[in-house]
Amino acid sequence: MNQNNLKVYCRVIGLRQSDIIRGAIESLEINENKLKIMNNNIKFCQIVKDQQLQFNNNLIQEQDQWFITYGECASGKTTAMFREDGVIEQIGQMYINNNKQQNVQISMIEIRKNKIIDMLTQQEVKLIQSNESFNCMNLKKISIQNMDQYLQIIQSGYQNRTQQNGLMSNISTIYPLIIKLDFGNFAIQFVDLVGSQKSKYCSPNMLNEIIFNNTGLSQIECILNTKDETQRLLLCNTHLITKVLKNAFRNSSLTNLIVCVSAANIYEKDTLRILKQIQGL
């Protein structure tokens, strides 16, 4: 992708109680904006540990922009995006407070296998292909006036998110969730991707869900590492997740990739795989 329009951040979570019980130690070294793991040094725009990334008003541009969380299951992606002072709250605060237009609209979708579900109505909607930010036919859009209303709508939609318990390393499956904040002449998209999952003694239906999510993630990794824009956009047409995210991968897009990893050495192989995927971006 165009290096000038892609920014890569890193959020690290330290040892949790469950990690300590398993005998984990911390294996990542952080030095300013560089992270070291197994003699690999990787540089980011910003690295934080056990806290939220901090964005400033220099990020504000009246142009489509994407914020995408990326990482393994249980690596803190949803915390980075949705919790207090997370990406959604910080960026929303900046743009809503600086917006001089009268009509700002918000919409939310979840990608469930081959279906797109409107999180505000819980009805299926159809993707409209365009050269602009994603849109869906009959998608509910709510006009917002202030931050309190903005956060309330997001919380309401988030409560409809799919979670299914299963024997997959004690991780529940969660489909990708996307929020669009539409200002008319540009839009902000927040994308909370699901991490790759390992199936163990799960039902055939759950296995299909895992395969769908993992295939989408593999395709995103391939797209991110494809230098030619035409080829990248062609690759986007092979999976529903990448079709929805297609415009995040254009050279003209402003895309912020938020890589979430754990410092625990028990996840070292998965962490190194994730970091190597983005090392060349």
Side-chain angles (χ1 to χ4, degrees):
M1 294 182 66
N2 188 325
Q3 295 293 318
N4 295 325
N5 292 332
L6 174 67
K7 295 182 179 179
V8 185
Y9 303 83
C10 184
R11 183 177 185 272
V12 180
I13 56 172
L15 296 183
R16 296 162 294 186
Q17 186 60 35
S18 58
D19 300 329
I20 295 171
I21 292 172
R22 295 170 66 183
I25 60 172
E26 293 196 354
S27 62
L28 303 184
E29 297 178 24
I30 299 174
N31 183 11
E32 295 183 347
N33 288 344
K34 290 184 179 179
L35 189 150
K36 183 177 181 180
I37 176 173
M38 298 175 67
N39 295 319
N40 291 271
N41 288 285
I42 303 172
K43 187 175 181 180
F44 296 89
C45 294
Q46 182 186 157
I47 301 176
V48 297
K49 182 180 176 185
D50 290 326
Q51 59 182 329
Q52 297 287 27
L53 292 159
Q54 296 299 312
F55 301 96
N56 56 52
N57 286 338
N58 293 333
L59 210 61
I60 294 178
Q61 297 191 51
E62 292 193 358
Q63 182 178 345
D64 273 15
Q65 193 161 178
W66 297 75
F67 293 84
I68 304 173
T69 54
Y70 174 80
E72 289 294 318
C73 284
S75 61
K77 296 185 300 299
T78 299
T79 296
M81 186 67 78
F82 285 91
R83 298 293 168 83
E84 185 178 357
D85 201 32
V87 177
I88 286 174
E89 183 173 330
Q90 287 190 53
I91 301 302
Q93 185 86 41
M94 280 189 268
Y95 276 90
I96 291 171
N97 287 347
N98 283 276
N99 177 57
K100 296 180 181 179
Q101 301 180 62
Q102 295 297 316
N103 190 28
V104 183
Q105 295 185 317
I106 190 170
S107 54
M108 299 177 67
I109 63 170
E110 185 177 66
I111 304 174
R112 301 177 188 170
K113 294 178 65 175
N114 61 344
K115 295 181 179 180
I116 298 176
I117 304 299
D118 185 335
M119 300 301 282
L120 301 177
T121 65
Q122 300 191 61
Q123 300 296 313
E124 183 179 359
V125 293
K126 297 296 183 183
L127 181 67
I128 300 172
Q129 296 280 10
S130 72
N131 290 327
E132 301 175 357
S133 58
F134 85 89
N135 203 352
C136 297
M137 190 179 300
N138 299 322
L139 182 66
K140 183 172 183 178
K141 302 174 183 179
I142 300 178
S143 296
I144 57 174
Q145 305 300 324
N146 54 57
M147 275 297 296
D148 287 342
Q149 184 191 15
Y150 166 70
L151 295 175
Q152 287 171 5
I153 293 170
I154 289 173
Q155 179 61 27
S156 175
Y158 184 85
Q159 290 175 352
N160 294 327
R161 194 168 194 183
T162 304
Q163 297 189 27
Q164 297 179 351
N165 296 322
L167 296 176
M168 300 176 300
S169 303
N170 297 320
I171 301 299
S172 10
T173 63
I174 300 176
Y175 292 119
L177 182 68
I178 303 172
I179 297 170
K180 180 178 180 179
L181 189 57
D182 195 337
F183 292 86
N185 59 329
F186 70 97
I188 305 297
Q189 284 88 190
F190 304 103
V191 183
D192 189 25
L193 292 175
V194 61
S196 62
Q197 301 163 335
K198 301 176 178 65
S199 60
K200 185 178 181 181
Y201 309 119
C202 61
S203 68
N205 185 56
M206 192 172 291
L207 180 60
N208 287 335
E209 294 171 0
I210 295 169
I211 292 171
F212 171 82
N213 288 331
N214 288 354
T215 302
L217 283 176
S218 296
Q219 193 67 1
I220 289 172
E221 292 170 355
C222 182
I223 291 166
L224 285 170
N225 286 282
T226 299
K227 302 301 181 184
D228 181 73
E229 182 186 41
T230 301
Q231 185 62 30
R232 274 202 313 274
L233 298 181
L234 285 174
L235 291 172
C236 286
N237 294 328
T238 59
H239 197 281
L240 181 56
I241 291 175
T242 52
K243 283 182 180 179
V244 174
L245 302 186
K246 185 173 184 177
N247 292 296
F249 305 123
R250 296 184 184 277
N251 285 342
S252 58
S253 69
L254 300 176
T255 301
N256 303 274
L257 188 66
I258 300 159
V259 181
C260 299
V261 296
S262 169
N265 67 326
I266 53 177
Y267 304 115
E268 202 168 48
K269 289 182 179 179
D270 288 332
T271 297
L272 184 59
R273 183 188 68 80
I274 287 290
L275 294 177
K276 281 189 171 182
Q277 289 291 342
I278 57 90
Q279 192 170 20
L281 298 182

